[in-house]
Amino acid sequence: RKEVEQDPGPFNVPEGATVAFNCTYSNSASQSFFWYRQDCRKEPKLLMSVYSSGNEDGRFTAQLNRASQYISLLIRDSKLSDSATYLCVVYLSGRRALTFGSGTRLQVQP
Amino acid sequence: DTAVSQTPKYLVTQMGNDKSIKCEQNLGHDTMYWYKQDSKKFLKIMFSYNNKELIINETVPNRFSPKSPDKAHLNLHINSLELGDSAVYFCASSLTGGTSFRNYQETQYFGPGTRLLVL
């Protein structure tokens, strides 16, 4: 089983749509959680951290469910510029490294 | 002002050659990393250094050797290049690299990547 699993997509949505991505992780001792965004032929960039109580940053909302080992990202009012691959990322202090999911591709269409 | 920089951006070379990729960060971070992103876009850690000390050394062929002359630099040298080494190699840095539970200290900042093609 992969340490971090994501649906690869692609998710094709019209502008203005709401879209949700899910991610599951296998190690219950994981401590920190992130969503990164990677544009085509570019480096990954931090989109937002994910906190236990859930957190929001503008149109983006992240949720964490430790009991189910599940992380989600909700994007409201999708823009063309949201088209990218969204990487679910988990940190385990014992391993001292981030573990990346393989990413979910989003294509927002006009 | 570039935070994490890598050179070269593109590298095309023949099988069997030896090549190096350089990475520098000006963020004052303690920890630097090398990742490999293969054709399926899966990003996998190879090495990390904390203050010039090797922390992580994943199952990587010993043809790959990282070198950290100081905490702002982490270079990757690859001997006897093989076709399967073709990938994008990303350097990254973080503030503490594994000694903190605080998200912001574990956030990693990536360089632009080096696209390596072995012919």
Side-chain angles (χ1 to χ4, degrees):
Chain A
R1 184 184 171 191
K2 287 183 188 171
E3 291 183 70
V4 180
E5 294 214 53
Q6 296 181 249
D7 180 344
F11 283 57
N12 295 305
V13 303
E15 268 186 293
T18 295
V19 62
F21 305 137
N22 302 321
C23 165
T24 56
Y25 59 95
S26 60
N27 194 322
S28 59
S30 299
Q31 288 154 309
S32 302
F33 308 89
F34 307 86
W35 283 101
Y36 275 69
R37 169 193 169 133
Q38 186 172 23
D39 292 290
C40 189
R41 300 182 68 78
K42 297 283 189 182
E43 72 272 25
K45 289 185 179 174
L46 178 69
L47 178 67
M48 59 196 299
S49 296
V50 186
Y51 299 108
S52 297
S53 53
N55 49 297
E56 192 173 301
D57 183 1
R59 298 181 293 108
F60 299 84
T61 301
Q63 298 277 354
L64 169 64
N65 184 324
R66 284 189 186 268
S68 304
Q69 294 177 207
Y70 170 95
I71 306 159
S72 66
L73 177 68
L74 183 78
I75 306 176
R76 288 181 299 280
D77 189 23
S78 299
K79 312 287 183 199
L80 293 176
S81 57
D82 293 335
S83 297
T85 296
Y86 290 83
L87 302 165
C88 177
V89 185
V90 168
Y91 174 73
L92 181 64
S93 72
R95 191 162 177 254
R96 297 184 72 176
L98 295 181
T99 301
F100 285 76
S102 53
T104 298
R105 196 154 71 85
L106 171 67
Q107 185 67 47
V108 181
Q109 293 160 339
Chain B
D1 205 18
T2 307
V4 183
S5 59
Q6 292 179 232
T7 54
K9 198 167 179 182
Y10 299 95
L11 188 50
V12 181
T13 188
Q14 300 283 336
M15 273 177 61
N17 283 352
D18 302 339
K19 291 291 178 187
S20 291
I21 309 172
K22 295 186 175 182
C23 178
E24 177 180 0
Q25 54 96 2
N26 62 6
L27 297 166
H29 286 170
D30 283 345
T31 306
M32 296 183 72
Y33 309 81
W34 277 109
Y35 287 87
K36 179 179 179 180
Q37 190 168 43
D38 59 26
S39 56
K40 293 182 180 173
K41 308 299 182 191
F42 188 55
L43 197 64
K44 194 160 189 241
I45 186 143
M46 300 172 70
F47 302 102
S48 81
Y49 268 74
N50 181 271
N51 249 322
K52 301 196 296 172
E53 180 189 348
L54 181 65
I55 301 297
I56 294 172
N57 184 352
E58 293 288 298
T59 308
V60 174
N62 58 14
R63 298 181 295 104
F64 291 78
S65 52
K67 288 208 171 31
S68 182
D70 55 63
K71 74 173 194 177
H73 295 84
L74 180 62
N75 303 323
L76 183 65
H77 188 75
I78 316 171
N79 287 329
S80 304
L81 277 154
E82 299 178 358
L83 294 177
D85 297 333
S86 297
V88 183
Y89 291 84
F90 287 103
C91 176
S93 72
S94 68
L95 188 58
T96 56
T99 58
S100 167
F101 295 166
R102 294 187 173 79
N103 280 36
Y104 76 91
Q105 290 178 329
E106 301 307 338
T107 299
Q108 292 187 14
Y109 297 86
F110 284 77
T114 296
R115 280 154 185 79
L116 172 64
L117 178 60
V118 183
L119 302 173

